[in-house]
Amino acid sequence: MPPSDELKHQVLAYLRSHNTMTLATCADNLPWASTVFYASDDFRLYFFSAPDSRHSQNVSQNPAVAVTVQEDYHDWRVIKGIQLEGKVTLIDSVLEKGKAMAIYARKYPDVIKLFTNPASGVFYKAFLKVKFYCVIPEKLFFIDNEQGFGKRQELVLADRSS
């Protein structure tokens, strides 16, 4: 397997095996970071959030974001993680919303059942107000200190905007 294919498989496996990402946004020259659950489809990262949250407000003004996915390591020699920069899009078409829900439901079936069940009360009411978003990476780096201190490889991405 060529090195770039191996790196692609490592990155995709890492994304599938993790649940939260730190989403860094900026608007009016004020940076902000939020942790959100995500579900991935290839390198696209789907999340939902309240449209009045600070990070949602920020991406409505400035869609450029940075994202990290990592664990809380105690030993720096085993640190692994993903750093990426890209753009966030609001999922607004019915077809795309359905796709985002399906991707999210595959990863978090119990969460979707809870949020889409009117009997769940506050969770259902909250879900009616959220919007789905998609992070489309433009640059992506994989950090793996097990391969050497500070080992950081860029995975060259094809145009993912379509």
Side-chain angles (χ1 to χ4, degrees):
M1 177 179 318
S4 61
D5 284 349
E6 184 178 322
L7 181 58
K8 177 182 177 181
H9 289 291
Q10 283 180 309
V11 168
L12 291 173
Y14 196 88
L15 287 171
R16 284 189 301 270
S17 69
H18 288 77
N19 301 308
T20 60
M21 65 181 183
T22 301
L23 177 70
T25 62
C26 190
D28 300 323
N29 211 28
L30 296 170
W32 187 250
S34 305
T35 301
V36 295
F37 276 92
Y38 73 89
S40 57
D41 180 36
D42 195 36
F43 297 105
R44 291 177 180 235
L45 307 176
Y46 291 89
F47 67 98
F48 61 81
S49 195
D52 60 351
S53 67
R54 184 166 174 183
H55 56 271
S56 294
Q57 291 294 305
N58 284 359
V59 299
S60 71
Q61 291 181 44
N62 177 2
V65 297
V67 168
T68 62
V69 178
Q70 75 283 321
E71 296 169 46
D72 185 15
Y73 292 94
H74 292 281
D75 183 349
W76 58 266
R77 293 171 293 197
V78 296
I79 289 174
K80 288 183 183 175
I82 292 172
Q83 299 171 318
L84 67 84
E85 61 185 65
K87 298 272 190 291
V88 170
T89 60
L90 174 65
I91 306 296
D92 53 6
S93 79
V94 173
L95 186 61
E96 283 295 309
K97 282 181 189 175
K99 179 181 176 185
M101 283 279 289
I103 291 165
Y104 213 85
R106 270 196 307 271
K107 188 163 188 174
Y108 308 109
D110 293 335
V111 171
I112 292 296
K113 284 177 192 169
L114 178 69
F115 277 112
T116 57
N117 181 353
S120 69
V122 67
F123 297 107
Y124 178 74
K125 287 179 185 173
F127 191 73
L128 293 176
K129 297 176 185 175
V130 301
K131 303 265 186 206
F132 270 96
Y133 299 87
C134 180
V135 176
I136 302 169
E138 295 170 349
K139 281 191 168 200
L140 189 147
F141 299 90
F142 187 64
I143 295 90
D144 187 350
N145 277 2
E146 287 183 333
Q147 294 183 23
F149 178 66
K151 179 70 173 185
R152 182 173 177 251
Q153 301 174 78
E154 181 175 3
L155 178 62
V156 178
L157 301 170
D159 178 21
R160 305 268 173 206
S161 60
S162 56

